[in-house]
Amino acid sequence: MITLETLVPATGLFSYAWLMIVVPAVVAAVLLLFGSILDRIGHWLAVAAVLVSFTVAAILFVQLLGADPESRAVSVPLFEWITTGMWNVKAGLLVDQLSILFAMLITGVGALIHIYSVGYMAHDERRRRFFAYLNLFIAAMLILVLADNYLVLFVGWEGVGLASYLLIGFWQYKPSAAAAAKKAFVMNRVGDLGMTMAIMSMLALFGSSSFTDVNSGAAHLTPFWATTIGLLLLLGACGKSAQVPLQAWLLDAMEGPTPVSALIHAATMVTAGVYLVVRSHEIFGMSDAASTAVVVVGCVTLLAGAWIGTSKDDIKKVLAGSTMSQIGYMMLAAGLGPVGYAFAIFHLLTHGFFKANMFLGAGSVMHAMDDDVNMRHYGALAKVTRITFWTFAMGYLAIIGFPGLAGYFSKDHIIEAAFEVSTLAGVCALVGAGITAFYMTRLMLMTFFGEKRWRPGVHPHESPLVMTVPLIILAFFSVIAGALMNWWIQEWLEPAVGNHVHEVSLVPGPIGWATLAVVAAGVALSWWLFGTKPIPDVAPASANPFTVAGRNDLFGDAINDTLVVQPTLLAARGLVATDDKLIDAAANGVGTMFAGLSSQTRRLQTGQVRSYALTMTIGVLLVGAVLILTQLG
């Protein structure tokens, strides 16, 4: 646990940790403000900015490796931010075992996505603006993971929301892209409500939102407040990480350029919720109810995302469903408590490599197929796009958990930890592994194997080197990242997240063998259904309710419309009617009454002096009569 006693003041290179954030933020501003004069080199400036951030992160990571374990949480104060009444909020950064891994992932994978985008967006007239938004996204995500308190984290949290809105809707001339951006923005605001309420509760209870104060104060929370803050944080995490019930925006987000999908799904936005839960482990550790809720959300989402992945023909939406599912695994692990915290981050890191690899690979396939995303129009691409095929294949083997590859180590650890805590959670994770193998094998077969189903005029070709080199690097890490991290990541993260260190063995146990058997069954079933039979050009109509539900995103939009949108519209109409019929009617009635009185009173104003004299005489007589009668009485 990070406390004031374990924090080390920043010295030397750590004093410049803020450069990781400032460099891409400044370049984003320059690209947006200096206009067309930077059109020819702006994209390379953006690439250089992220590479600078990665270099700083790598240097600080090496510095932490060489430090004593108890000296690996470094506080980097920045400035006084809010001073009012009893609160004094300082803006600062926390460079520790958890945040530096995120910084490495965000800037490393982010840099590869930037380089890939140079080729992918080469012919877009607004390429400079696109790269400015990418840099803004990176800067915001770095603020989120490097913040030393929840208020500064929230600045990055909202920055990521803004950047995602701009990038998802980058091609806003398409109504579908504009709608997808608004949908992502609105649904994330629902999650942000939970975040703001959680932070306000922290300020009220602890007088501070810093991680050190919250960690030390969490032990004194009542069960009610621990559960309340935990559930509010979970609501925020569900919004950012597209977990049930706030998952509906994620598949529509595929309307953005493919590099955006890779950035959001692999290295940045959807991982923010997992980071939040793990960083808040002291709060969740005080509430079994909140931790159980995280496990339930994770289990439901990993199965829901996998279900969607089995039914889509759009290659990007299959991968989007896969992201939902894999983030569900991470949330499940984070909800398991100390036995799962390190494994949640382990899988987050390996997923960053193989999912970025596959999303960018999907973009390479689309580049070859004239931007067609329908896998039913693919087939036989393995021989035409060899680099794309082999790199994508490495990501495929990693995600299904092929022995020795990245996902084999990280996801299998989660399944074993789930069985250790809850048999039901373990079964859900195991079933999800089988479904993952099924739909990912389906994607590979429909895209790279079988007969050609290309549309007339389409001539598939390999992508340029600026796109394939990032694929090769990501494929390499999709293969080795799990083995590289498997031996040390638990010990590395233990001081930051308080996980229990498990013994690591190369020989799988009973659950490991069961997982391999289930994965093999999923691959075999998919091969039997899609590898031995012709793939029709048009998806056949299906009366199977599971297929219908999957094709319709499990009716997420319909459910939201029924439970949220329509009741909200009904309430709004009721308020409008109340305003019109009651409030406005009352206000207008008072006005009408005075207008009528003034109209009658106006008749007394005739303009004739004789009438006024008569009125005055009558008035004087009346007053005199009243006075006389009063005296007589």
Side-chain angles (χ1 to χ4, degrees):
M1 181 180 76
I2 298 171
T3 63
L4 286 173
E5 290 74 22
T6 60
L7 278 179
V8 177
T11 58
L13 295 175
F14 284 98
S15 301
Y16 299 96
W18 49 268
L19 285 173
M20 284 187 281
I21 299 168
V22 170
V23 172
V26 169
V27 170
V30 168
L31 293 179
L32 290 172
L33 296 176
F34 281 79
S36 59
I37 62 173
L38 293 176
D39 280 348
R40 299 184 66 179
I41 63 168
H43 48 288
W44 289 117
L45 284 177
V47 171
V50 183
L51 287 174
V52 168
S53 295
F54 174 71
T55 302
V56 174
I59 292 172
L60 297 185
F61 176 65
V62 173
Q63 292 277 311
L64 288 181
L65 279 176
D68 295 331
E70 63 272 11
S71 303
R72 289 175 175 165
V74 182
S75 174
V76 187
L78 297 178
F79 53 85
E80 296 280 345
W81 184 19
I82 301 172
T83 302
T84 176
M86 59 185 290
W87 296 330
N88 181 21
V89 180
K90 298 178 181 179
L93 305 181
L94 173 63
V95 182
D96 71 344
Q97 297 93 328
L98 179 61
S99 63
I100 197 63
L101 290 180
F102 270 86
M104 291 278 288
L105 176 71
I106 293 163
T107 56
V109 175
L112 293 174
I113 293 171
H114 274 66
I115 294 170
Y116 176 97
S117 300
V118 171
Y120 191 88
M121 302 294 288
H123 304 294
D124 196 289
E125 295 179 354
R126 300 167 66 237
R127 180 168 64 169
R128 171 181 51 80
R129 183 178 295 272
F130 178 78
F131 276 87
Y133 293 161
L134 286 184
N135 265 205
L136 176 63
F137 206 126
I138 294 293
M141 192 67 195
L142 287 170
I143 293 173
L144 193 159
V145 300
L146 290 169
D148 69 349
N149 69 78
Y150 286 95
L151 273 175
V152 177
L153 181 153
F154 191 66
V155 173
W157 192 271
E158 291 303 287
V160 168
L162 170 63
S164 66
Y165 170 78
L166 295 172
L167 286 168
I168 294 170
F170 184 73
W171 290 325
Q172 73 268 23
Y173 59 83
K174 297 164 55 179
S176 56
K182 287 187 289 186
K183 185 176 183 179
F185 191 82
V186 170
M187 293 200 72
N188 271 272
R189 298 294 74 73
V190 177
D192 292 351
L193 178 63
M195 275 291 291
T196 54
M197 294 177 69
I199 294 171
M200 286 187 285
S201 299
M202 293 173 190
L203 290 171
L205 293 168
F206 309 125
S208 170
S209 67
S210 73
F211 296 146
T212 54
D213 291 337
V214 172
N215 285 340
S216 60
H220 306 292
L221 285 174
T222 64
F224 170 80
W225 277 112
T227 301
T228 299
I229 295 176
L231 292 177
L232 290 172
L233 290 172
L234 176 59
L235 179 61
C238 286
K240 274 289 181 289
S241 292
Q243 299 292 281
V244 174
L246 299 178
Q247 83 289 354
W249 66 269
L250 190 65
L251 273 78
D252 289 356
M254 298 302 99
E255 291 291 339
T258 299
V260 174
S261 303
L263 192 63
I264 289 176
H265 286 246
T268 56
M269 184 170 175
V270 295
T271 64
V274 179
Y275 171 80
L276 179 68
V277 173
V278 174
R279 179 61 85 185
S280 307
H281 63 277
E282 291 293 335
I283 291 175
F284 285 95
M286 297 301 297
S287 172
D288 290 339
S291 297
T292 301
V294 176
V295 171
V296 171
V297 167
C299 287
V300 171
T301 307
L302 77 86
L303 293 175
W307 184 350
I308 291 172
T310 63
S311 308
K312 294 292 184 181
D313 295 328
D314 183 324
I315 187 171
K316 289 176 66 177
K317 290 193 174 183
V318 173
L319 294 176
S322 169
T323 297
M324 274 180 58
S325 183
Q326 298 304 306
I327 300 294
Y329 273 102
M330 301 170 207
M331 293 294 284
L332 164 61
L336 295 175
V339 301
Y341 291 140
F343 298 146
I345 302 303
F346 187 13
H347 194 53
L348 185 152
L349 296 172
T350 59
H351 176 265
F353 293 120
F354 60 68
K355 185 52 64 68
N357 174 21
M358 288 189 289
F359 260 114
L360 296 184
S364 185
V365 169
M366 292 165 57
H367 176 81
M369 302 300 291
D370 289 351
D371 287 331
D372 191 346
V373 296
N374 191 339
M375 296 187 298
R376 293 186 179 276
H377 300 164
Y378 295 169
L381 291 179
K383 295 181 180 179
V384 183
T385 58
R386 289 184 178 275
I387 297 177
T388 299
F389 165 65
W390 283 110
T391 54
F392 200 105
M394 295 305 101
Y396 156 72
L397 293 174
I399 194 174
I400 70 171
F402 189 83
L405 274 70
Y408 168 74
F409 293 101
S410 58
K411 189 163 69 175
D412 279 27
H413 281 319
I414 293 176
I415 296 173
E416 291 176 1
F419 271 107
E420 183 179 332
V421 175
S422 166
T423 301
L424 179 58
V427 170
C428 290
L430 187 62
V431 170
I435 302 175
T436 299
F438 173 84
Y439 70 74
M440 287 306 304
T441 302
R442 173 180 178 266
L443 183 153
M444 290 294 292
L445 293 172
M446 293 179 70
T447 301
F448 296 106
F449 297 98
E451 298 295 326
K452 301 176 183 178
R453 302 183 299 279
W454 309 339
R455 301 294 88 184
V458 173
H459 305 287
H461 53 283
E462 187 57 274
S463 299
L465 282 176
V466 73
M467 294 171 63
T468 55
V469 168
L471 292 179
I472 294 170
I473 296 172
L474 288 167
F476 175 73
F477 282 101
S478 297
V479 173
I480 71 163
L484 283 179
M485 291 186 284
N486 191 48
W487 304 103
W488 60 270
I489 192 166
Q490 293 186 75
E491 290 82 357
W492 173 262
L493 288 171
E494 196 275 335
V497 302
N499 61 280
H500 292 167
V501 178
H502 293 244
E503 183 180 349
V504 175
S505 173
L506 286 176
V507 180
I511 295 175
W513 286 114
T515 302
L516 288 175
V518 170
V519 167
V523 172
L525 178 61
S526 187
W527 172 261
W528 179 63
L529 291 175
F530 303 101
T532 61
K533 304 172 185 176
I535 304 295
D537 287 356
V538 178
S542 176
N544 186 330
F546 290 96
T547 302
V548 173
R551 288 177 179 175
N552 289 277
D553 303 342
L554 306 188
F555 305 107
D557 287 339
I559 293 171
N560 289 336
D561 186 70
T562 302
L563 297 181
V564 179
V565 177
Q566 292 305 322
T568 301
L569 289 176
L570 183 61
R573 293 190 188 102
L575 290 174
V576 170
T578 301
D579 186 59
D580 286 343
K581 302 277 173 80
L582 184 61
I583 299 174
D584 281 357
N588 293 336
V590 172
T592 302
M593 179 184 69
F594 279 100
L597 288 174
S598 65
S599 132
Q600 296 301 320
T601 306
R602 192 183 308 118
R603 296 182 180 180
L604 299 176
Q605 307 298 319
T606 62
Q608 297 179 357
V609 176
R610 290 176 301 174
S611 298
Y612 297 157
L614 177 61
T615 302
M616 292 174 64
T617 301
I618 294 173
V620 169
L621 292 175
L622 287 174
V623 171
V626 169
L627 291 174
I628 293 170
L629 290 174
T630 302
Q631 291 297 324
L632 291 176

